[in-house]
Amino acid sequence: MEIKVLGTGCARCKALEQNVMNALAEMGVAADVEKVTDLNKITDYGVMMTPGLVINEKVKVFGRVPDKEEIKKWIQEEISQ
């Protein structure tokens, strides 16, 4: 599983990254987590507001920080496919 946290390093971006790490740890799921800070790469995903979350190349959310339970749901959806 590949997860990308899109953002320039703001407090909300760091909060999203922490929520992702906590969700993965609680689920016992291994994933490659990458921070994407390049604005050109961020906009390539169609994301105009950070932070953004991409799981397996699918944009799940942007412009807000989802809670850990929401992130766990998206991870589970990707595992099930």
Side-chain angles (χ1 to χ4, degrees):
M1 178 170 299
E2 186 177 88
I3 299 176
K4 295 179 182 174
V5 177
L6 312 179
T8 56
C10 66
R12 292 180 347 143
C13 301
K14 291 176 183 171
L16 174 57
E17 182 181 19
Q18 190 60 55
N19 285 354
V20 166
M21 299 309 269
N22 290 341
L24 289 168
E26 284 185 17
M27 296 176 77
V29 173
D32 292 326
V33 179
E34 178 185 349
K35 286 183 70 172
V36 178
T37 57
D38 183 302
L39 286 175
N40 290 325
K41 290 181 181 175
I42 292 170
T43 56
D44 285 347
Y45 284 102
V47 171
M48 297 301 161
M49 290 178 59
T50 60
L53 180 64
V54 177
I55 301 177
N56 291 342
E57 293 303 312
K58 297 177 194 132
V59 177
K60 297 296 184 178
V61 67
F62 63 89
R64 68 179 178 88
V65 179
D67 65 28
K68 184 174 54 175
E69 294 307 313
E70 198 171 8
I71 295 168
K72 286 165 78 172
K73 181 185 75 149
W74 292 324
I75 291 169
Q76 188 59 51
E77 286 171 0
E78 288 301 315
I79 290 171
S80 299
Q81 290 184 3

